[in-house]
């Protein structure tokens, strides 16, 4: 029922910009935390940015000042504006949400991912 679909990735040069979109269905984004993660081949998946139900925003240190997460409640979509891109930003970017369970477990939902490649 819950589905997240990322789009907007592509190939850019160092210093360029991309805007990623996460279109969400099955839940209302204003009522759940939505996070952006990224994963490069052979590396751990890492949190990039997140926006909480009340609008609280968190960023990983390595993207502060360069990336902006935002939410359009009317479109049920979360965005990640990425500026001043670096080669280290090359990864597959995923959006994520989770639904807490009563036993403190959580059910996570992931999109398929969108590839971002930053050339030097």
């Amino acid at each position: 029922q819950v589905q997240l679909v990322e789009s907007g990735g592509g190939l850019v040069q160092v210093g360029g910009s991309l805007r990623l979109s996460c279109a969400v269905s099955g839940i209302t984004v204003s009522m759940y935390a939505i996070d952006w993660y990224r994963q490069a081949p052979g590396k751990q998946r890492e949190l990039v940015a997140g926006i909480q139900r009340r609008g609280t925003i968190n960023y990983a240190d390595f993207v502060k000042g360069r990336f902006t997460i935002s939410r359009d409640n009317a479109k049920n979509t979360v965005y990640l504006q990425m500026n001043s891109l670096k080669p280290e930003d090359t990864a597959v970017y995923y959006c994520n949400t989770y639904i807490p369970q009563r036993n403190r477990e959580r059910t996570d939902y992931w999109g398929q991912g969108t590839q971002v490649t930053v050339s030097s």
Side-chain angles (χ1 to χ4, degrees):
Q1 288 295 113
V2 179
Q3 188 174 25
L4 300 87
V5 179
E6 303 93 338
S7 62
L11 174 64
V12 297
Q13 293 186 332
V14 170
S17 298
L18 287 171
R19 189 180 76 157
L20 307 184
S21 298
C22 176
V24 179
S25 60
I27 60 167
T28 300
V29 297
S30 63
M31 299 182 69
Y32 293 89
I34 308 293
D35 299 319
W36 284 98
Y37 288 77
R38 69 186 187 188
Q39 187 170 27
K43 296 185 178 180
Q44 294 271 110
R45 188 170 296 187
E46 60 185 355
L47 178 66
V48 176
I51 183 166
Q52 309 307 120
R53 178 175 177 174
R54 293 187 176 183
T56 302
I57 291 170
N58 295 289
Y59 296 102
D61 287 342
F62 54 81
V63 303
K64 285 183 178 178
R66 299 190 298 123
F67 291 10
T68 303
I69 189 170
S70 62
R71 182 177 68 197
D72 187 331
N73 294 339
K75 296 181 178 179
N76 215 45
T77 298
V78 175
Y79 303 97
L80 184 68
Q81 177 68 47
M82 306 186 296
N83 299 324
S84 302
L85 284 162
K86 305 174 181 179
E88 310 93 89
D89 297 319
T90 296
V92 178
Y93 284 71
Y94 300 89
C95 56
N96 160 271
T97 192
Y98 66 90
I99 300 175
Q101 305 299 317
R102 300 185 74 175
N103 62 357
R104 298 197 177 191
E105 299 291 326
R106 58 184 254 177
T107 300
D108 281 87
Y109 298 90
W110 297 89
Q112 190 171 356
T114 186
Q115 176 71 49
V116 172
T117 302
V118 184
S119 62
S120 60

